[in-house]
Amino acid sequence: MLGFSLFQAAVLGSAVGAIVSARVPANPGFRDEEQPRRFRIRTFLGAPIDALERTLLDWRLHDLGRQNEPARDVVLVGVDDETLANARDDPHADLSTWPWPRALLGGLVSQLGREGASPILLDWRLDTGSPRTAGEVPDDEQFRRALDATPATVLGFSVSAAPSPAVVRPLRPSLVLVALEDEDGPAVLEVLRRVLASRAPAFAVPDGSRVRIWAGVGSEDEGRQLARRLGVSGTPLIRDYGGADRPFQVTPEDLLVRVAEVTVRGLDIDALPLARSLDVPTSVLVGPRSRYGHTALAVDPDGRVRGIQHLVRWVSPQGRVHVLPSLALAGALARANSRQLIWSADRLAIVGGSSIPADRTGYALIRWDAAEGGRDGRGSLERSISAWRFLQNFYDAQEGVPAHARNDVQKRAVVLAETLRGSGLWPATPLGEGVTHAAVVGQALENWLDGVGIARAPVRSDVLATFALAFAGGFVALGFSGLFRSAIGALLYVLAAVAVVVGWLLFVRRLMVVDGVWLAAGGPLVAFALAWLITGRYALRTEREMRDFVYGALGRYVSPDIADQVFRNVALMRPQRREVTICYADLEGFRRMDQLLPPDTLVELLNTYFGELTSLVRQTGGHVEYSGDALIAFWGAPVRLDRHGPVACRTALSIQSEVARLRPEWERRFGVEVRMRMSLHSGAVVAGDMGSPLKSNYTVVGQPVATAARLERANRLYGTELLASGETVRRVGTEFVFRELDTVTLGGGVETLYQLVSRRGEVPPALVPILEGWPEALSGARRREFTGALAFFEAHAAVDPVSAAWAERVRGYIAHPPPEGWTGHGDLRGGG
């Protein structure tokens, strides 16, 4: 019976494994219409498994995003609703109507370049010429000049697997010679660009080692006028158009691919998806000083975008094959100043730059740096800046006045795009709403800059995993079939299967979060479930016989209770010692609130307050527990976090800012002013699942927890709202600004206390002079130079509660001098 059941599991695992292994191309949008029949069958059979797999993939991507910090090297600059609202009220005429002139867009690009952004990606539709032709220099030409003057600009263009509609062009019976240039030189591209920009057909006819460039015209008179506009001196050469000229025609698409194409080694070019149509930027905007990349996203069958097709192939009418990069890849190539790629060992590498995991078709999954999209369309990017700030700086530079805004984009990549809510460029992603097309491009570029991504496990690994789970289903069904002797036993039988499922999900989650590997999870789970059900069905039929055999053979020597306990071994989460940073937050004046507020209002206030704080903590990977009106958060357990100190400081400042923002609303709603105090302390704790069989939770215990609680109460002594211990400060580095407050006796040892003021560069102006003189004043007080220290503290006491607290303390020292041997240390228990 055992052999038969395991044989069934093997057969079932083989069938499901075959379905999982025959994976369809990752980008259905570029899939060939004449795909092989085996893929069509597989798609029909595996559609439910695919849907399950995508759901589990999104779950893992969410968890991975929670562990990461938002992408910092790429900034989204959006023409958003705020920008247009401000533009309508602005006195500059260029801003009065939308869409803006291309010259203004060029000015915006130039301003980004002046502020140090590089590369600058334009996720912008430019396939039609500007309707604004008035002026000495055409609108598009002004834009082109701005692009040429700005380093590392990258323009997007659209591609599609669908053939482009037939275009009927008017017959041009004559050709006029406009240039004779060296073959494949930059001058050829420039002349072709100018011809196509004039809306005339262009032809590049070889003439030995040189190229004759002709323009199609309707008559000799039109040819002479075009020649003059293109700067041809003397009498132009004009001849009739012939059938032999057709192979040498250069279309706008040909012009674009000449400057956009890249070379790839180690990859079968025929395996790349075929783009059958291009919507390229208007020819006047195509030039060798800019880079170009396609903006197509890889949309899965469920309508979500999880990756980007970084490489597509384009076949010209002459049969030449060109490889075109995505907009994100073009930006990474611009950063590395390269046009060459190498594919090897399932990684796509830029020669002289970074590499990311990608399959043989050039498709790569996106490694999201957040679990949810931002509110302003930035997705998983850390920052999204309104284009209005740069436009203000642009006009300030023209008018010779200081810039309005400091945008901090130096040495950062920028994606410039429309982020209007009604633009329709908000694709569905695993992050949910709040992700614009440009944010997807930006995250893909961030992956390139960081050299990270999601590697798809080999097919053999998926198949082996499916086989293993199928066999596991058979073993669990047989091994735990004896539990059906009672209702509790039946529940444990099901829980055993659930434990395998959970263990498998945790395993594939760890592969994703820790190693960045996507191993199939849905197919193996289906194999496990079917094998478990079928094998369990047969096991139930023979359970009585198996039970009679066990008791008949061992019943005289082993009690039934002992036999039952063999199948009831439940393991709890293993305790361990971890380095963590703890944030202890407490409501100020909670006793007064308890007396003033009715119970339902008090509970609603606490729920609202805890909800806001918990949301901020969870966004940064922290864990939360509650004790009365206090919230205890910690980072570094159970998931190890190397930089738990900076993450905790960042979160504490966010909590402080959010509570300050919500304080007026809460006061109107609940009738009391909500204030809080926090402390941060780092150290080694014991972490684990603790409690009783009735209730338990994952928590931390140890001296650092008690120290954090004492530090929180010490805020009242120093007039602060956020204290940090020296242990935390030593782990943080230079990202934040701290103010040393005291050295105190605490928990049997000596601890230096600091006030966490802000992130570096965000210090309130009123505190700047205080922080500059603070170290000397504090040192003077410790050297018994009380008069000078008191003068400093009293001078700032009106605006700085910490100075006021120290002034009161120093006055006490003057009235009652400390004893000999005094070290300047305070004692939290005595408040001084």
Side-chain angles (χ1 to χ4, degrees):
M1 180 61 197
L2 174 62
F4 179 69
S5 297
L6 293 181
F7 174 76
Q8 284 181 319
V11 172
L12 186 60
S14 299
V16 180
I19 294 175
V20 174
S21 63
R23 291 181 287 190
V24 296
N27 186 356
F30 280 102
R31 188 171 55 206
D32 210 336
E33 293 298 328
E34 298 300 325
Q35 58 177 324
R37 181 177 299 274
R38 65 179 180 273
F39 282 136
R40 292 182 180 176
I41 296 174
R42 189 266 168 199
T43 302
F44 170 75
L45 295 178
I49 298 178
D50 279 346
L52 174 62
E53 183 61 39
R54 293 187 201 99
T55 300
L56 295 175
L57 173 60
D58 289 348
W59 164 67
R60 286 172 280 178
L61 291 173
H62 271 272
D63 271 7
L64 178 60
R66 289 190 183 96
Q67 313 307 315
N68 296 337
E69 295 184 1
R72 295 182 174 181
D73 294 329
V74 181
V75 177
L76 173 62
V77 176
V79 177
D80 51 12
D81 298 287
E82 176 191 353
T83 301
L84 294 189
N86 288 323
R88 284 191 291 268
D89 298 331
D90 192 85
H92 296 94
D94 291 346
L95 296 171
S96 59
T97 58
W98 175 260
W100 292 329
R102 293 275 171 81
L104 180 58
L105 186 58
L108 183 55
V109 171
S110 299
Q111 183 61 35
L112 287 167
R114 282 193 292 270
E115 295 193 26
S118 178
I120 303 170
L121 281 62
L122 276 77
D123 188 9
W124 206 283
R125 183 162 184 174
L126 301 169
D127 55 338
T128 58
S130 172
R132 308 190 183 197
T133 57
E136 189 173 322
V137 180
D139 194 25
D140 281 327
E141 185 61 35
Q142 293 185 60
F143 186 22
R144 176 70 261 165
R145 293 178 184 180
L147 293 173
D148 288 342
T150 306
T153 55
V154 187
L155 276 65
F157 60 90
S158 300
V159 297
S160 174
S164 56
V167 178
V168 179
R169 295 184 173 91
L171 178 65
R172 301 294 180 96
S174 301
L175 299 179
V176 57
L177 181 65
V178 295
L180 179 63
E181 302 288 352
D182 293 334
E183 186 173 7
D184 294 332
V188 172
L189 291 176
E190 176 60 20
V191 176
L192 289 172
R193 181 185 74 83
R194 295 176 61 197
V195 171
L196 292 172
S198 68
R199 304 184 185 278
F203 300 83
V205 182
D207 185 3
S209 62
R210 310 186 79 186
V211 176
R212 289 179 178 268
I213 301 177
W214 300 81
V217 293
S219 64
E220 292 188 7
D221 185 56
E222 181 184 342
R224 285 189 291 269
Q225 293 179 16
L226 178 60
R228 282 196 299 271
R229 289 200 304 272
L230 296 178
V232 178
S233 58
T235 302
L237 176 61
I238 300 176
R239 65 175 178 85
D240 292 338
Y241 169 81
D245 294 311
R246 181 179 295 275
F248 303 106
Q249 182 173 0
V250 178
T251 65
E253 291 81 3
D254 296 327
L255 179 65
L256 175 79
V257 298
R258 288 194 182 197
V259 295
E261 68 177 333
V262 296
T263 60
V264 187
R265 288 180 286 165
L267 196 64
D268 181 11
I269 302 302
D270 291 336
L272 300 180
L274 176 64
R276 291 184 170 85
S277 64
L278 307 179
D279 289 333
V280 303
T282 181
S283 297
V284 71
L285 301 180
V286 178
R289 294 188 182 180
S290 294
R291 302 292 185 108
Y292 301 85
H294 75 79
T295 58
L297 302 179
V299 183
D300 287 336
D302 62 354
R304 289 192 173 187
V305 174
R306 297 178 178 88
I308 286 186
Q309 190 69 46
H310 284 298
L311 297 175
V312 299
R313 61 188 168 100
W314 163 262
V315 181
S316 69
Q318 293 78 26
R320 290 186 57 187
V321 179
H322 305 269
V323 179
L324 304 178
S326 67
L327 183 58
L329 175 54
L333 288 165
R335 171 69 69 89
N337 193 25
S338 175
R339 290 185 181 271
Q340 298 180 352
L341 299 160
I342 299 176
W343 186 83
S344 176
D346 291 325
R347 291 189 72 90
L348 187 61
I350 298 173
V351 176
S354 58
S355 67
I356 64 170
D359 66 16
R360 64 185 183 88
T361 71
Y363 172 83
L365 281 165
I366 297 174
R367 184 183 179 116
W368 305 95
D369 287 329
E372 297 179 355
R375 301 174 183 174
D376 49 5
R378 69 180 183 273
S380 51
L381 303 181
E382 184 180 58
R383 290 199 300 151
S384 173
I385 306 177
S386 173
W388 178 249
R389 294 167 61 90
F390 294 94
L391 287 172
Q392 285 182 304
N393 290 355
F394 169 69
Y395 284 116
D396 290 342
Q398 286 189 329
E399 297 164 6
V401 298
H404 272 76
R406 180 180 178 182
N407 296 305
D408 190 24
V409 294
Q410 190 170 12
K411 296 183 179 179
R412 286 182 168 85
V414 161
V415 182
L416 176 61
E418 295 180 31
T419 57
L420 304 170
R421 274 291 176 181
S423 65
L425 301 177
W426 295 67
T429 70
L431 305 188
E433 298 182 355
V435 184
T436 59
H437 184 284
V440 176
V441 173
Q443 180 62 76
L445 176 57
E446 179 79 20
N447 289 168
W448 273 107
L449 299 182
D450 295 340
V452 298
I454 304 297
R456 189 67 169 98
V459 172
R460 62 178 178 274
S461 298
D462 287 350
V463 176
L464 288 175
T466 306
F467 290 164
L469 265 291
F471 275 108
F475 274 116
V476 169
L478 288 174
F480 290 84
S481 59
L483 294 176
F484 273 97
R485 284 168 291 179
S486 65
I488 295 178
L491 177 61
L492 292 177
Y493 177 82
V494 175
L495 291 178
V498 172
V500 174
V501 172
V502 172
W504 172 247
L505 292 177
L506 290 177
F507 172 71
V508 295
R509 174 192 175 278
R510 181 191 178 281
L511 281 180
M512 175 74 76
V513 173
V514 178
D515 302 324
V517 176
W518 171 21
L519 180 67
L525 284 180
V526 172
F528 171 83
L530 294 178
W532 178 72
L533 290 172
I534 294 176
T535 308
R537 177 187 175 192
Y538 285 98
L540 286 175
R541 291 181 180 179
T542 59
E543 193 278 331
R544 181 176 296 276
E545 296 178 8
M546 294 292 292
R547 183 182 59 184
D548 292 343
F549 169 78
V550 170
Y551 284 102
L554 302 175
R556 291 177 297 172
Y557 308 102
V558 179
S559 69
D561 290 339
I562 296 297
D564 291 343
Q565 291 176 17
V566 174
F567 303 97
R568 299 175 182 175
N569 186 14
V570 180
L572 299 175
M573 190 174 293
R574 188 180 183 86
Q576 53 190 319
R577 193 171 297 276
R578 283 286 185 88
E579 288 283 335
V580 301
T581 295
I582 301 166
C583 176
Y584 198 102
D586 197 12
L587 274 173
E588 181 179 335
F590 179 72
R591 183 176 301 175
R592 179 177 56 85
M593 295 181 188
D594 184 24
Q595 296 172 350
L596 290 176
L597 299 178
D600 55 345
T601 304
L602 180 64
V603 170
E604 183 182 0
L605 168 60
L606 286 176
N607 289 340
T608 304
Y609 166 75
F610 283 140
E612 293 292 339
L613 270 60
T614 301
S615 175
L616 293 172
V617 172
R618 287 177 62 86
Q619 288 175 14
T620 57
H623 289 259
V624 173
E625 59 182 275
Y626 312 104
S627 177
D629 64 309
L631 177 142
I632 305 171
F634 54 90
W635 292 260
V639 178
R640 192 176 301 277
L641 185 62
D642 293 334
R643 291 180 54 81
H644 49 80
V647 173
C649 291
R650 214 171 291 126
T651 307
L653 289 174
S654 297
I655 290 174
Q656 192 177 52
S657 175
E658 187 68 6
V659 170
R661 185 184 70 83
L662 294 172
R663 185 174 296 124
E665 177 187 340
W666 287 349
E667 186 171 2
R668 290 191 302 269
R669 181 177 171 186
F670 301 110
V672 293
E673 184 180 34
V674 178
R675 291 191 173 274
M676 60 176 297
R677 298 183 295 266
M678 289 182 288
S679 66
L680 295 169
H681 182 57
S682 303
V685 298
V686 173
D689 191 32
M690 305 178 194
S692 71
L694 298 178
K695 181 179 181 181
S696 65
N697 65 293
Y698 190 86
T699 187
V700 293
V701 295
Q703 183 62 38
V705 181
T707 300
R710 291 191 183 99
L711 289 179
E712 183 278 318
R713 291 193 295 270
N715 279 290
R716 289 173 289 184
L717 303 178
Y718 299 99
T720 55
E721 293 183 349
L722 180 51
L723 280 180
S725 68
E727 291 294 332
T728 297
V729 173
R730 280 189 287 275
R731 287 169 169 80
V732 168
T734 60
E735 182 181 348
F736 301 92
V737 176
F738 293 92
R739 168 164 50 170
E740 181 179 351
L741 297 180
D742 205 352
T743 302
V744 299
T745 302
L746 179 65
V750 176
E751 184 69 51
T752 302
L753 303 187
Y754 297 84
Q755 178 194 15
L756 174 54
V757 179
S758 67
R759 298 182 70 167
R760 193 161 298 279
E762 299 177 2
V763 178
L767 279 182
V768 172
I770 300 175
L771 295 180
E772 290 175 351
W774 186 267
E776 178 60 28
L778 185 62
S779 177
R782 289 171 173 171
R783 295 193 305 267
R784 295 176 178 264
E785 299 173 2
F786 298 134
T787 303
L790 180 60
F792 176 86
F793 294 139
E794 288 182 337
H796 301 291
V799 295
D800 180 26
V802 182
S803 295
W806 261 99
E808 182 65 24
R809 182 170 173 177
V810 171
R811 281 193 288 268
Y813 289 150
I814 293 174
H816 304 284
E820 291 297 328
W822 178 66
T823 62
H825 292 183
D827 190 326
L828 287 185
R829 293 166 294 182

